[in-house]
Amino acid sequence: DLTVTKTHSGDFTQGQNSAVYIIKVTNNGKGPTNDTVTVTDVLPTGLTATSFIGEGWVCNLNTLTATRNDVLESGASYPDLVLTVNVAMNAPLSVVNTATVSGGGDINPDNNTATDNTIILSVDSTSPVITIIKPTNGASVNISTGSLIIVKFTDSGSGIDPASVEVKIDIGEKKTDTGEWTTATLTGDTLYYMLKQPLANGEHTVAFKVRDNAGNETKQSVTFIWENYRRGFGFGRMSF
């Protein structure tokens, strides 16, 4: 009955080189191993392996597999496998690394996988930048149903978290919008936001917020003057 454990010391940091995981294989069965033992590691996004070694192990850095044929007696452990990784600048703030062991005559696969939850500290203290392309602040515009607002999101550090992009438009006198934050979808680094309903005459504000992968948040808004294109109708057009 082979088991595997996977551990590391302390927290990792975005941009860190030579962070280390330790993988240990133990024989908890009643008898010795009788076949080739294989360990496979699956790295999460944000980590890149730079070294994979262990005394007596045949290690493949490209596939992150390690094998050996020598007998492991009951109650004993093989020499540790040492997996060294670099941490990307935009690595998530929490990742899970997984290792599995197989072979050796093992007949109990239920304890052949180990996971190691890893906290990654952020070194990015710079907030994202929101650039509102259309409309310009203070502009007098006519916006019809389905009209377009264009906003660009950039971040020079850990990168934009696309799932964090949200939009809010004030409800105004007509109360056609909820005034609540709603999620929005980027196309590349740009948001094309379609106003789904016409607005009441007067001043309106559309706000945007976003976080980067380090958790830094930015909010930005634009205020424009809505003017009905034709007063006999409750809608207009956007003219930039």
Side-chain angles (χ1 to χ4, degrees):
D1 182 18
L2 294 178
T3 62
V4 60
T5 59
K6 186 177 184 70
T7 59
H8 70 280
S9 178
D11 296 329
F12 294 174
T13 303
Q14 290 177 333
Q16 178 181 350
N17 292 329
S18 302
V20 173
Y21 288 102
I22 301 297
I23 302 170
K24 181 183 290 292
V25 174
T26 301
N27 183 0
N28 288 330
K30 296 180 179 180
T33 58
N34 58 14
D35 199 357
T36 300
V37 174
T38 301
V39 171
T40 302
D41 190 272
V42 179
L43 278 181
T45 299
L47 302 183
T48 302
T50 59
S51 175
F52 192 34
I53 59 174
E55 181 183 347
W57 291 94
V58 178
C59 300
N60 187 317
L61 181 61
N62 293 325
T63 61
L64 290 184
T65 57
T67 59
R68 62 190 304 150
N69 295 312
D70 53 323
V71 172
L72 183 64
E73 298 295 338
S74 175
S77 298
Y78 283 129
D80 291 344
L81 282 161
V82 180
L83 174 59
T84 305
V85 301
N86 289 345
V87 185
M89 279 297 301
N90 63 345
L93 302 184
S94 179
V95 297
V96 179
N97 197 353
T98 304
T100 59
V101 63
S102 60
D106 182 83
I107 58 174
N108 179 19
D110 292 340
N111 55 8
N112 289 9
T113 299
T115 57
D116 189 3
N117 297 314
T118 307
I119 299 299
I120 298 180
L121 302 178
S122 171
V123 296
D124 177 8
S125 60
T126 302
S127 297
V129 175
I130 299 175
T131 304
I132 300 173
I133 300 172
K134 293 182 179 181
T136 57
N137 201 54
S140 295
V141 297
N142 298 297
I143 305 179
S144 63
T145 300
S147 293
L148 190 64
I149 292 178
I150 304 175
V151 184
K152 186 174 183 179
F153 299 83
T154 56
D155 187 81
S156 60
S158 58
I160 294 293
D161 175 8
S164 72
V165 177
E166 294 185 81
V167 180
K168 179 174 70 173
I169 184 165
D170 62 36
I171 58 178
E173 295 179 358
K174 196 170 183 180
K175 302 185 186 304
T176 55
D177 289 276
T178 64
E180 298 177 352
W181 289 105
T182 58
T183 57
T185 301
L186 294 181
T187 300
D189 62 0
T190 303
L191 172 66
Y192 300 93
Y193 179 68
M194 305 295 291
L195 287 172
K196 298 177 176 60
Q197 303 226 12
L199 301 175
N201 268 339
E203 186 177 275
H204 293 274
T205 299
V206 183
F208 307 89
K209 67 179 177 179
V210 65
R211 292 187 303 276
D212 59 21
N213 288 305
N216 301 303
E217 185 176 271
T218 297
K219 294 180 181 179
Q220 183 73 20
S221 64
V222 61
T223 298
F224 57 88
I225 307 300
W226 166 266
E227 295 178 343
N228 283 328
Y229 178 58
R230 187 175 299 172
R231 294 207 175 267
F233 297 86
F235 60 89
R237 66 182 180 186
M238 179 175 282
S239 53
F240 300 115

